[in-house]
C-alpha cells in the first residue's frame, strides 16, 4: 500500500512534535533542589534525538529524500560531522 505524501508528512510532523516533547521532558529530569545538574547521558540522548529530527526534516520537509543520491549522502555526512563536532566539543 502506497502512503500519500500528505499523510506521510502529517505522520512525520506528529512524530517530530512528540519527540520534541520527549527530549524536553528528558532534559528536565535531572534537577536537585531546583538546581539544574548537568548530565552527560541526558545530553548525549538529546543530541541523538536532535540528529534524528534533523534527518527527518532534511528527508521530508526539505525534500532530500527524492534528491540525487550524492546529495543525500552529502547531507547525511554533513549532519554526522556537525553533530559529531557538537558532541566532541561538549565532551571535550
Amino acid at each position: 500500500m502506497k502512503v500519500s505524501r500528505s499523510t506521510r508528512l502529517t505522520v512525520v510532523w506528529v512524530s517530530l512534535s512528540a519527540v520534541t516533547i520527549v527530549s524536553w521532558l528528558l532534559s528536565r529530569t535531572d534537577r536537585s533542589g531546583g538546581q539544574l545538574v548537568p548530565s552527560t547521558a541526558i545530553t548525549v540522548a538529546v543530541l541523538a534525538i536532535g540528529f534524528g529530527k534533523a534527518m527527518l526534516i532534511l528527508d521530508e520537509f526539505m525534500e532530500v529524500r527524492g534528491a540525487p543520491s550524492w546529495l543525500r549522502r552529502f547531507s547525511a555526512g554533513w549532519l554526522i560531522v556537525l553533530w559529531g563536532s557538537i558532541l566532541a566539543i561538549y565532551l571535550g
Side-chain angles (χ1 to χ4, degrees):
M1 181 171 93
K2 189 170 181 169
V3 178
S4 71
R5 179 166 162 44
S6 63
T7 302
R8 190 178 69 238
L9 288 177
T10 302
V11 169
V12 170
W13 179 79
V14 169
S15 301
L16 287 170
S17 298
V19 170
T20 298
I21 292 169
V22 167
S23 64
W24 177 73
L25 291 172
L26 187 64
S27 69
R28 298 184 49 83
T29 59
D30 200 14
R31 293 185 180 261
S32 59
Q35 297 291 333
L36 180 61
V37 178
S39 169
T40 302
I42 290 175
T43 301
V44 170
V46 170
L47 283 173
I49 290 169
F51 175 80
K53 286 171 57 175
M55 285 297 294
L56 278 174
I57 290 168
L58 273 173
D59 281 348
E60 299 299 331
F61 295 103
M62 298 179 78
E63 299 183 3
V64 173
R65 181 181 195 184
S69 61
W70 67 267
L71 182 59
R72 294 178 73 198
R73 286 192 305 267
F74 181 80
S75 298
W78 175 77
L79 277 179
I80 290 168
V81 169
L82 176 67
W83 253 255
S85 299
I86 292 170
L87 188 60
I89 289 169
Y90 177 76
L91 295 175

